[in-house]
């Protein structure tokens, strides 16, 4: 029987056509983060079983733009940049499972198919979108610097409609890049039933970076706007209070996770 190869589909004899290579996956990027508070009931509505609200600051939300360059261990994608560069914007809340607080991505948009493929494996609910953010540069003629007074903008659109925009003016160095996205992730990996009904496979997993490096974090003043869309629900997470805005350059390696629970045939989680 012929062995087909490839980490994800399509699988072929050589494996060359697979959408994504085997982990570990390595990332270097610029993150623009806005944290705010919404009604905790709106966060709870996005948490499926067996998750519950985080016990502290349950309405805290992080909206993050990321301009990434990524690769596999071979680093060959870096020499073919269309395979390594992509942008994303994602929404993170916090949740609780068996007394432990986790971060959870509830919405995320990306602009490359390989990023969607990685999301399928990791449990991120990735969709296609259009993300743009101001890039820093050491020469100021056409770019801001990461430092006091640096002004950065970012926008998010999907389905031909703008969903969010932000302007961040850096003010001072920060000890952190925020707190909402600061825990291991708790995500569901699901395979819907072929005829609907209960999922054929559902697993709650925890994952995070196996290696992390970061430059100096900066905080600043934020002007954030969310917009309605007939096909998106981001605006339902209304901005009740801005917590802060942050900018940081990071390097991350992702290399798997752990199963927290699985759904059984009767719908319970064990």
């Amino acid at each position: 029987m012929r062995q087909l190869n490839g980490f994800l589909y399509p699988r072929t004899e050589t494996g060359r056509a697979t959408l994504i290579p085997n982990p570990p996956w390595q990332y270097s990027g610029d993150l623009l983060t806005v944290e705010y508070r919404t009604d905790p009931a709106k966060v709870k509505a996005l948490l499926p079983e067996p998750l519950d609200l985080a016990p502290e600051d349950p309405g805290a939300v992080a909206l993050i733009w990321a301009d990434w360059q990524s690769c596999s261990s071979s680093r060959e994608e870096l020499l073919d940049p269309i395979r390594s560069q992509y942008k994303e914007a994602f929404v993170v809340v916090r949740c609780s499972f068996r007394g432990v607080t986790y971060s959870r991505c509830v919405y995320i948009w990306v602009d490359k198919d390989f990023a969607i493929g990685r999301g399928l494996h990791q449990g991120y609910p990735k969709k296609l979108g259009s993300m743009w953010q101001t890039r820093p540069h050491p020469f100021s003629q056409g770019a801001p610097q990461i430092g006091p007074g640096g002004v950065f903008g970012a926008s998010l659109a999907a389905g031909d409609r703008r969903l969010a925009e932000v302007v961040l003016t850096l003010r001072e160095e920060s000890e952190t890049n925020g707190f909402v996205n600061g825990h291991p992730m708790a995500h569901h990996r699901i395979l819907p039933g072929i005829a609907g009904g209960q999922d054929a496979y559902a697993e709650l997993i925890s994952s995070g970076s196996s290696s992390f490096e970061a430059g100096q974090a900066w905080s600043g003043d934020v002007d954030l706007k969310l917009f309605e869309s007939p096909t998106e629900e981001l605006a339902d997470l209304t901005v009740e209070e801005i917590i802060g805005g942050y900018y940081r350059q990071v390097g991350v390696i992702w290399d798997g996770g752990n199963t927290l629970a699985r759904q059984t045939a009767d719908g319970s989680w064990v």
Side-chain angles (χ1 to χ4, degrees):
M1 191 172 186
R2 178 177 291 116
Q3 175 69 41
L4 297 184
N5 297 292
F7 184 74
L8 198 65
Y9 43 75
R11 289 183 171 178
T12 65
E13 190 171 15
T14 68
R16 192 173 69 252
T18 188
L19 183 58
I20 51 176
N22 288 14
W25 301 320
Q26 305 182 54
Y27 306 78
S28 299
D30 289 34
L31 271 58
L32 190 162
T33 301
V34 181
E35 292 187 335
Y36 68 91
R37 293 185 176 94
T38 192
D39 182 350
K42 296 180 178 181
V43 174
K44 185 175 179 62
L46 293 172
L47 300 179
E49 293 184 352
L51 301 177
D52 206 344
L53 286 170
E56 297 182 6
D57 217 342
V61 178
L63 177 51
I64 305 167
W65 278 264
D67 190 354
W68 290 116
Q69 187 158 277
S70 65
C71 62
S72 60
S73 295
S74 72
R75 301 176 69 84
E76 63 186 78
E77 298 90 346
L78 301 180
L79 303 182
D80 190 9
I82 195 170
R83 298 164 57 197
S84 65
Q85 296 175 2
Y86 74 101
K87 299 185 292 292
E88 68 184 2
F90 54 107
V91 181
V92 177
V93 300
R94 297 187 305 154
C95 59
S96 177
F97 176 68
R98 295 177 180 170
V100 178
T101 298
Y102 294 90
S103 300
R104 180 178 176 87
C105 179
V106 293
Y107 298 121
I108 180 168
W109 297 265
V110 300
D111 62 0
K112 291 288 180 65
D113 60 354
F114 63 80
I116 289 180
R118 288 196 296 227
L120 289 174
H121 178 65
Q122 297 168 311
Y124 283 85
K126 293 189 176 184
K127 303 173 67 174
L128 284 176
S130 174
M131 291 66 55
W132 297 95
Q133 66 188 81
T134 309
R135 290 172 173 164
H137 196 275
F139 299 107
S140 63
Q141 286 86 341
Q145 281 73 58
I146 303 175
V151 183
F152 295 78
S155 64
L156 163 66
D160 205 31
R161 289 173 172 84
R162 179 160 288 201
L163 305 179
E165 61 186 27
V166 65
V167 174
L168 169 64
T169 302
L170 301 185
R171 185 178 61 250
E172 59 190 7
E173 294 183 356
S174 172
E175 292 184 1
T176 73
N177 199 41
F179 66 95
V180 179
N181 195 36
H183 307 274
M185 308 301 293
H187 286 157
H188 283 68
R189 291 169 14 112
I190 60 173
L191 181 65
I194 193 65
Q198 183 173 312
D199 291 331
Y201 178 82
E203 175 189 27
L204 177 65
I205 61 102
S206 171
S207 71
S209 60
S210 60
S211 175
F212 177 81
E213 294 183 272
Q216 176 62 53
W218 288 81
S219 64
D221 302 315
V222 174
D223 180 16
L224 173 65
K225 295 182 176 67
L226 305 180
F227 304 100
E228 297 285 347
S229 166
T231 57
E232 303 290 351
E233 301 178 54
L234 173 59
D236 293 348
L237 291 172
T238 53
V239 181
E240 306 297 335
E241 177 189 2
I242 293 289
I243 298 172
Y246 308 91
Y247 200 94
R248 198 176 203 182
Q249 295 180 312
V250 303
V252 178
I253 297 177
W254 188 93
D255 193 17
N258 302 294
T259 299
L260 297 176
R262 286 192 175 94
Q263 190 174 42
T264 63
D266 64 6
S268 61
W269 289 85
V270 295

